[in-house]
């Protein structure tokens, strides 16, 4: 049966790739080239690490696209490993269904964004926790915060949940404080001065062999209060958009926790419940920090998927039909609350006409150099 599920997963991956894949956006690869040396204390570590590699290839777009696709393919390989090693078919079903949902296409559409690297780092951190190398896991996650602060809202609570389910000694949970401290330091760090930001934009425009996205550079010169003052951004609008998904996901996790309550570690049930709900809800709170509302919805559904996979893995009995139904409910909601793609892109239609058009010109459809179509902002 495991082989059959791997085939099903392969079909789901193929469909999701057809629906959503495009080469990394100019916005994403512009961010790949902003470094700590440029004054980008937050989100500058990745560019600092990648700079020597990109310089070898004269800052060509293809080198950066290859890095982004490597992150994507690595996550797909992990998905196949998870499917093979899962205890229950319910976990494999959930993984396949998630990829067949709008989340699957968005996963491929998001290629190049640091979110995918952050989840890869979470996997590495989880392996370290499983080997009781919690200090190294803390260091790894702290590095992840320097890559992008959304680590604090996505992979950090997931790692705490993973540790709680493995009955980690209470004293070892102190190791999860350093990533939070790194986040607080970044929050207090001064923003990039406007003149320095303008010089950075000019420098990137001269150095990079493709069109630089100015909005990817100017975000480093803007603090949270200035973000809130932007005409096109409304946290309340974002909260209204994500609220149905937050509520359904939270109810689903609460229901699954109730159904699996006897399988949870003794003395840790309240902690597991609290962290599982926090892991599910925290990504949606990003609506108060930025306007990528659909991206936050996607991250929320990704965290939800991982939370349920971890809870099901803990169970000594096959998840009931009720638990499976609860696990599928938030993902099904995406068919009614669709995810809007970036830069004017839309999901490819899954019909014979569109499939034929795409296959007749695959290079044009899937591998064309991006020309980002900026939104109104």
């Amino acid at each position: 049966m495991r082989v059959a599920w791997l085939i099903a997963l392969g079909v789901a991956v193929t469909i999701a790739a057809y629906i959503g894949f495009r080469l990394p956006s100019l916005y994403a690869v512009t961010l790949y080239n902003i470094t700590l040396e440029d004054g980008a204390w937050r989100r500058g570590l990745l560019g600092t690490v990648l700079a020597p590699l990109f310089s070898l290839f004269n800052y060509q777009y293809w080198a950066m696209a290859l890095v982004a696709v490597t992150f994507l393919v690595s996550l797909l390989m992990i998905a196949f490993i998870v499917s093979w090693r899962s205890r229950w078919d319910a976990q494999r079903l959930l993984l396949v269904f998630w990829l067949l949902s709008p989340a699957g296409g968005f996963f491929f559409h998001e290629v190049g964004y640091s979110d995918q690297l952050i989840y890869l780092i979470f996997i590495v951190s989880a392996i370290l926790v499983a080997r009781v190398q919690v200090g190294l896991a803390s260091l790894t996650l702290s590095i992840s915060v320097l890559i992008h602060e959304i680590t604090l809202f996505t992979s950090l609570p997931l790692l705490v949940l993973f540790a709680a389910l493995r009955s980690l000694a209470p004293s070892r949970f102190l190791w999860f404080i350093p990533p939070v401290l790194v986040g607080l330091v970044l929050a207090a760090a001064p923003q990039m001065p406007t003149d320095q930001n303008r010089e950075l934009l000019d420098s990137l425009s001269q150095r990079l062999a493709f069109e630089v996205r100015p909005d990817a550079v100017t975000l480093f010169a803007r603090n949270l209060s200035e973000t809130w003052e932007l005409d096109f951004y409304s946290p309340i609008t974002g909260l209204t958009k994500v609220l149905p998904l937050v509520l359904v996901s939270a109810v689903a996790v609460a229901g699954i926790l109730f159904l699996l309550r006897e399988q949870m570690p003794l003395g840790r049930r309240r902690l597991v419940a609290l962290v599982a709900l926090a892991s599910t809800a925290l990504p949606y709170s990003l609506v108060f920090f930025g306007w990528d509302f659909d991206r936050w919805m996607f991250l929320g559904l990704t965290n939800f998927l991982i939370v349920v996979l971890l809870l099901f893995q803990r169970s000594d009995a096959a998840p009931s039909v009720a638990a499976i139904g609860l696990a599928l409910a938030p993902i099904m909601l995406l068919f009614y609350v669709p995810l809007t793609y970036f830069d004017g892109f839309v999901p490819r239609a899954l019909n014979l006409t569109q499939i034929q058009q795409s296959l007749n010109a695959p290079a044009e459809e899937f591998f064309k150099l991006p020309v980002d179509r900026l939104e109104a902002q």
Side-chain angles (χ1 to χ4, degrees), residues 138-139 141-146 149 151-153 156-157 160 173-188 282:
S138 176
L139 174 62
L141 217 60
S142 298
I143 292 172
S144 182
V145 175
L146 292 172
E149 61 273 16
T151 296
L152 300 172
F153 300 84
L156 176 58
V160 176
F173 280 85
L174 295 174
W175 281 110
F176 297 120
I177 295 177
V180 178
L181 296 178
V182 172
L184 292 174
V185 170
L186 290 179
L282 274 175

Side-chain angles (χ1 to χ4, degrees), residues 185-199:
V185 170
L186 290 179
Q191 67 191 60
M192 188 182 298
T194 303
D195 291 344
Q196 184 179 353
N197 188 261
R198 193 177 297 114
E199 291 174 2

